[in-house]
Amino acid sequence: MARKSKKNQVEEIIAAFAELEEKRSISREEIVAALKYAFETAYSKNAYDDELKARCDIDVEKGEFKLYWIRDVVEKLEYDFDWDINITLEEAQKTNPNIKIGDEFETLIPLETLNRNLVQRIEGLFTQRLKETCKKLIYDQFKVLEGNIITGQVEKVEPGKYVLIDLQGKANGFMPIKEAIPGEVYREKEQIKCYVKEVTLEAKKESITLSRADARFLFKLFGQEISEIQSGDVYIRNIVRIPGTRSKIVVSSKVPGLDAAGTCIGRNGSRIQKIVEQLANGKEKIDVIQYYDDPLMMIREALKPAVVLGIGTHKEEMTISTFDKDSKQKKTKTFVGSVADVVVSNETLNLAIGLKGQNAFLAKKISKFDKLNIVKIDDAYGNVTFKRMEQIEAEYNARKNPQTVKVEPTPIKVVEETVKETKAEETKTEETVYVTPS
């Protein structure tokens, strides 16, 4: 068989590098670095002693691969078996008369003389370094996307465990079942949007954790769909969420006269509907709430469309249970918490509480109170101390516009502060609630 010309060899080498670049999505420089590492590392261990030194020079365009065995020039060998790491000055000067003690003496190693074991070791190290380089590149590429939404294709669904998502053919994202929206059905080859929750670099591979249940996924969806949020004219103040069921999003505007909530909802609900359609097959209800820098006004907004007639507040000793992972035992903690007693119209009590208490539960998260007691007006008189909503609103407006609004104090009959237990407290939900970080 005719021997290949130097030109053909070079062309084959360049083609092989180009194929690797495309297949692995890494640069030629990184491939060369991995190959040099493989040659030098493999050869350095090509003896009983691990102290061998080697250098590999690669010029892809010329098709040149040169491997050098490097030894230190010494006056004489301390031990006879040091010949593989040192060379005497006398011996070195036979090849290079100008060399001196302390210099490095290089011996070119013909690649065809490398034994099979060494070649296999080079191949293994090269493959390993390429994988590590690819892993680091993927990590760097997706780390900058952490906290953003990405679109991928469902590759595999393991019911009750996880969903594997192909991310543009470059990596796989992992969505644990706890990060999926309850009730959503995922099908292979389906395009899906996810929130990049965490990107880590582990020993074996990069790990990309995705989520659709996180409140920040909803936060980013609003940012994508509402141009005023993108421009900064509308701010998202808070989001509380029971994924797949109901969410409340609090918004405000820095532009005078701009209705932040109305802007997000859109004409005839057109804007909010686009977002709803992307969640739980359109089954997750979203309440857009106008922000107030007053906790009582926020309770009124959070409970809409229920009609809040009045609110009272007081302190109460509370006990919560926590699970200690170290001792694997439940622990209780007692503290003095804030309570809001919310009086609503008789007709809207069920609206205020919501299905399985979800509306009251989410409203409590927005309000920052430790507990909400919701009672209808017929049960409030004589049992709950509260201030009428008209006065709360008037006092709020007076604080916001002290020069133009004058509030006459409204006498409130103080009754015995015994708060009646309500359906809102009896109907506790065990749903997971996600709250945006403050």
Side-chain angles (χ1 to χ4, degrees), residues 156-173:
K156 181 181 179 182
V157 179
E158 191 68 35
K161 294 183 180 179
Y162 63 86
V163 180
L164 201 63
I165 299 170
D166 175 54
L167 302 175
Q168 304 158 7
K170 298 177 181 178
N172 283 328

Side-chain angles (χ1 to χ4, degrees), residues 264-326:
C264 293
I265 294 170
R267 181 176 296 179
N268 298 322
S270 58
R271 283 183 157 185
I272 196 69
Q273 189 57 36
K274 286 183 179 179
I275 297 172
V276 170
E277 288 171 355
Q278 300 179 60
L279 304 169
N281 306 314
K283 295 179 181 178
E284 183 170 328
K285 183 177 179 181
I286 300 176
D287 301 325
V288 183
I289 301 167
Q290 181 64 46
Y291 172 76
Y292 286 89
D293 58 357
D294 180 277
L296 302 187
M297 293 290 288
M298 278 307 306
I299 290 175
R300 184 192 69 174
E301 293 299 306
L303 287 175
K304 284 183 176 180
V307 178
V308 178
L309 300 176
I311 304 173
T313 63
H314 68 277
K315 297 292 184 179
E316 185 179 300
E317 189 175 276
M318 300 179 183
T319 301
I320 59 172
S321 296
T322 58
F323 182 77
D324 186 77
K325 292 183 179 179
D326 296 329

Side-chain angles (χ1 to χ4, degrees), residues 315-372:
K315 297 292 184 179
E316 185 179 300
E317 189 175 276
M318 300 179 183
T319 301
I320 59 172
S321 296
T322 58
F323 182 77
D324 186 77
K325 292 183 179 179
D326 296 329
S327 63
K328 296 182 179 180
Q329 292 181 345
K330 284 187 177 180
K331 293 186 176 181
T332 58
K333 176 184 176 183
T334 301
F335 66 101
V336 177
S338 57
V339 181
D341 305 315
V342 186
V343 181
V344 299
S345 66
N346 295 330
E347 299 77 17
T348 60
L349 176 63
N350 289 336
L351 276 177
I353 295 173
L355 180 65
K356 297 181 181 179
Q358 292 170 349
N359 194 50
F361 190 46
L362 293 174
K364 179 180 77 72
K365 292 292 182 181
I366 286 178
S367 73
K368 308 299 183 183
F369 279 86
D370 297 301
K371 184 178 179 182
L372 288 190

Side-chain angles (χ1 to χ4, degrees), residues 148-157 162-168 172-176 179-196 210-213 217 221 224 277-281:
N148 290 286
I149 284 181
I150 192 170
T151 300
Q153 181 175 279
V154 176
E155 185 172 289
K156 181 181 179 182
V157 179
Y162 63 86
V163 180
L164 201 63
I165 299 170
D166 175 54
L167 302 175
Q168 304 158 7
N172 283 328
F174 177 76
M175 184 166 70
E179 299 295 346
I181 297 177
E184 277 193 336
V185 178
Y186 306 107
R187 298 176 178 84
E188 292 185 7
K189 308 300 180 183
E190 174 188 15
Q191 293 291 314
I192 188 173
K193 286 183 179 180
C194 293
Y195 175 76
V196 183
L210 305 176
S211 177
R212 284 177 58 82
F217 175 59
L221 273 183
Q224 285 187 349
E277 288 171 355
Q278 300 179 60
L279 304 169
N281 306 314

